[in-house]
């Protein structure tokens, strides 16, 4: 299974089972622009035999509707609940990708999740190693999941 | 484990050996305020016997002063060189934590650094995590080393 | 007479940092060459007279350890001394590097004095 497939499988599974929203993967690509506007990014680090990061990038309106579905409560702007929800999504996605990369469960560990959000922020793109980004359609809008890896 | 002292020593070692800027360290901040007024943050996830995120937060002119000192050149604005240099510092600081842990026979694994920049970003980590926020001063101004952690 | 050093690291920024540290160490390098991975380093060694190599370990295409192995199999370049630059690499990786012919390692963060002590005797 290649990384795009790992990301797609993990995202579709988590969104259908835990968020209960249908998502459809688009063609995998690589992020070349660092800028994000009015968005939130959830990140989890991977460490061990491979090192990397799993990131989920959502525009603010997508983040609030995903959080509303995920938590079963109405949110209308990026607040602590949205941050926690996005961090938790990043955590679950990283967990699923980690299992695909390391079925033994002993060679890769995850770091604490974090989220970055704001009207405008730049997140650097990985210069060496592998970087795969899969965009997803969700109810007429879009978010993306990105995996950055280098050999540990 | 006296985290503040470990962070202070590791930061001082990096500045003394590779950056050559006079550095002083103030007492850890106790404020929960997320908005440190910084323009660039380099962060790296850690896992193993400590689940954590280590970050270095700088205002623009402090970031460029540090990056410039490290590369031996004048840097006018936060650019790729500045971000890479700060990412490298985050990596080395995490390496310093790892060494301190190894002395106590505890194992830390490092992910890879990410750099965030912009005028209007906020960073959030799961509620309930512990935090050490250490301010440092160089001639150009103040920067912060920020460790958020939970004990595994 | 000035010497030529080759710095091997996939990060352009890290190569600049190492160059600056070498200048500060006061070693008289007349030329500083750069390569982004082990394969590029082999190409540089094939086409230039290099006196010492400073190499990162984790690189794409060809890692530092793979570079050491390939270099050791080429009579024309096998004797050029190589020092590894590492961050949080364990002792076992450094041992592997030395078994493959590396003359030593410097761990980041490194001081100009450490660069001098490690590189000086090899020049």
């Amino acid at each position: 299974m290649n990384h795009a497939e790992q990301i797609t499988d993990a995202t579709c599974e988590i969104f259908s089972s835990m968020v209960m929203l249908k998502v459809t993967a688009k063609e995998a690509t690589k992020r070349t622009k660092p800028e994000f506007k009015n968005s939130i990014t959830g990140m989890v680090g991977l460490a061990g035999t491979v090192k990397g990061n799993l990131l989920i990038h959502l525009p603010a309106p997508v983040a609030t509707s995903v959080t509303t579905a995920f938590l079963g409560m109405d949110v209308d702007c990026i607040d602590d609940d949205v941050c926690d929800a996005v961090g938790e999504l990043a955590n679950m996605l990283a967990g699923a990708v980690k299992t695909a990369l390391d079925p033994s469960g002993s060679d890769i560990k995850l770091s604490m999740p974090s989220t970055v959000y704001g009207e405008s922020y730049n997140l650097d793109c990985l210069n060496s190693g592998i970087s795969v980004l899969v965009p997803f359609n969700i109810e007429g809008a879009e978010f993306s999941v990105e995996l950055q890896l280098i050999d540990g | 484990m006296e985290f503040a002292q470990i962070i202070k020593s590791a930061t001082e070692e990096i500045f003394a050996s590779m950056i050559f800027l006079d550095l002083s360290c103030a007492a850890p901040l106790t404020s929960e305020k997320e908005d440190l007024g910084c323009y660039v943050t380099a962060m790296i996830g850690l896992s193993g016997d400590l689940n954590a995120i280590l970050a270095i937060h700088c205002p623009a002119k402090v970031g460029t002063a540090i990056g410039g000192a490290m590369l031996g050149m004048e840097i006018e604005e936060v650019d790729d060189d500045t971000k890479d240099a700060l990412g490298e510092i985050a990596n080395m600081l995490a390496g310093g934590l790892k060494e301190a842990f190894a002395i106590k026979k505890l194992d830390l694994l490092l992910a890879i650094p990410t750099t965030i920049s912009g005028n209007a970003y906020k960073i959030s980590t799961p509620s309930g995590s512990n935090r050490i926020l250490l301010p440092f001063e160089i001639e150009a101004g103040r920067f912060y080393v920020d460790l958020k952690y939970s004990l595994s | 007479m000035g010497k030529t050093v080759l710095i091997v690291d996939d990060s352009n920024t890290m190569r600049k940092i190492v160059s600056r540290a070498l200048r500060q160490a006061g070693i008289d390098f007349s030329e500083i060459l750069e390569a982004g991975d082990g394969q590029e380093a082999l190409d540089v060694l094939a086409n230039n007279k290099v006196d010492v190599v400073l190499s990162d370990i984790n690189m794409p295409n060809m890692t530092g350890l793979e570079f050491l192995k390939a270099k050791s199999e080429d009579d024309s370049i096998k004797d050029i001394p190589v020092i590894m630059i590492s961050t949080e690499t364990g002792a076992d990786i450094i041992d592997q590097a030395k078994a493959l012919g590396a003359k030593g390692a410097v761990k980041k963060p490194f001081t100009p004095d450490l660069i001098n002590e490690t590189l000086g005797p090899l020049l």
Side-chain angles (χ1 to χ4, degrees):
Chain A
M1 199 191 286
N2 66 33
H3 296 307
E5 286 165 353
Q6 288 162 350
I7 292 170
T8 302
D9 277 5
T11 308
C12 291
E13 168 64 31
I14 284 160
F15 270 75
S16 70
S17 60
M18 308 260 345
V19 185
M20 303 212 266
L21 289 174
K22 186 167 186 314
V23 302
T24 320
K26 294 169 68 173
E27 195 178 328
T29 177
K30 188 177 146 110
R31 183 162 60 94
T32 48
K33 292 202 192 128
E35 307 101 2
F36 290 90
K37 296 236 179 293
N38 199 26
S39 293
I40 179 166
T41 295
M43 303 185 269
V44 172
L46 290 90
T49 48
V50 292
K51 292 175 194 282
N53 288 312
L54 185 294
L55 307 98
I56 175 169
H57 310 288
L58 307 110
V62 179
T64 50
S65 35
V66 164
T67 303
T68 297
F70 192 16
L71 270 52
M73 54 189 269
D74 271 332
V75 292
D76 52 20
C77 68
I78 295 187
D79 59 10
D80 287 348
D81 289 323
V82 176
C83 289
D84 281 352
V86 171
E88 188 50 42
L89 279 172
N91 200 32
M92 290 192 288
L93 286 165
V97 167
K98 168 185 124 71
T99 304
L101 291 170
D102 167 35
S104 77
S106 57
D107 297 334
I108 304 177
K109 293 200 164 28
L110 302 183
S111 78
M112 180 188 278
S114 62
T115 54
V116 181
Y117 61 99
E119 279 176 28
S120 167
Y121 57 91
N122 291 330
L123 262 181
D124 61 333
C125 307
L126 195 65
N127 291 323
S128 62
I130 298 163
S131 174
V132 178
L133 183 140
V134 181
F136 291 86
N137 268 327
I138 180 170
E139 304 186 330
E142 203 174 281
F143 69 92
S144 57
V145 178
E146 180 182 359
L147 180 64
Q148 302 173 341
L149 287 177
I150 61 172
D151 279 331
Chain B
M1 183 84 68
E2 191 21 74
F3 289 122
Q5 187 52 50
I6 295 170
I7 292 169
K8 179 171 180 289
S9 299
T11 307
E12 287 169 347
E13 191 191 350
I14 291 165
F15 270 70
S17 55
M18 297 191 82
I19 302 177
F20 305 105
L21 292 174
D22 286 333
L23 179 77
S24 62
C25 180
L29 297 180
T30 51
S31 162
E32 283 303 312
K33 198 154 102 64
E34 279 293 341
D35 189 358
L36 298 169
C38 288
Y39 182 83
V40 56
T41 294
M43 52 199 270
I44 181 167
L46 295 108
S47 58
D49 288 320
L50 185 78
N51 205 308
I53 297 179
L54 181 73
I56 173 166
H57 308 288
C58 304
K61 64 184 170 104
V62 178
T64 52
I66 293 173
M70 206 158 162
L71 286 113
M73 50 198 265
E74 288 286 323
I75 302 183
E76 296 290 315
E77 53 179 36
V78 173
D79 59 1
D80 285 350
D81 281 337
T82 311
K83 294 178 205 175
D84 284 354
L86 290 171
E88 192 55 47
I89 294 174
N91 206 30
M92 288 191 284
L93 272 173
L97 258 178
K98 182 182 163 101
E99 265 188 44
F101 266 62
I103 292 169
K104 310 253 182 196
K105 308 264 188 273
L106 295 168
D107 194 30
L108 277 193
L109 299 168
L110 272 53
I112 58 179
T114 300
T115 311
I116 305 151
S117 59
N119 279 315
Y121 63 87
K122 289 196 169 51
I123 299 171
S124 172
T125 41
S127 38
S129 49
N130 304 296
R131 189 184 196 186
I132 306 266
L133 184 60
L134 269 185
F136 290 87
E137 294 272 350
I138 59 171
E139 193 181 329
R142 182 176 260 210
F143 68 92
Y144 305 86
V145 178
D146 184 3
L147 180 71
K148 291 173 185 146
Y149 65 95
S150 63
L151 295 161
S152 302
Chain C
M1 169 143 131
K3 306 280 185 179
T4 299
V5 62
L6 169 61
I7 301 171
V8 190
D9 196 304
D10 58 320
S11 160
N12 176 38
T13 304
M14 202 56 221
R15 298 198 300 267
K16 288 188 204 172
I17 291 170
V18 174
S19 297
R20 197 233 61 215
L22 288 172
R23 288 197 296 276
Q24 249 162 326
I27 305 176
D28 175 27
F29 284 119
S30 58
E31 206 173 0
I32 297 179
L33 301 174
E34 298 183 17
D37 59 49
Q39 185 54 60
E40 270 185 44
L42 291 171
D43 296 341
V44 170
L45 291 179
N47 294 306
N48 297 274
K49 186 184 173 311
V50 171
D51 296 290
V52 70
V53 180
L54 277 162
S55 177
D56 189 16
I57 295 177
N58 293 318
M59 293 180 289
N61 297 332
M62 185 186 277
T63 67
L65 294 184
E66 288 164 347
F67 160 70
L68 284 169
K69 182 155 193 315
K71 179 180 155 296
S72 69
E73 290 161 0
D74 183 339
D75 283 342
S76 65
I77 56 173
K78 68 177 165 58
D79 293 326
I80 300 171
V82 181
I83 298 287
M84 312 310 289
I85 301 177
S86 70
T87 312
E88 41 109 15
T89 328
D92 56 334
I93 300 281
I94 302 299
D95 289 343
Q96 282 179 52
K98 288 182 179 168
L100 288 166
K103 295 293 181 200
V106 289
K107 202 174 136 314
K108 293 182 240 180
F110 46 78
T111 59
D113 283 348
L114 183 59
I115 296 276
N116 246 325
E117 278 164 32
T118 317
L119 278 186
L122 301 172
L123 297 171

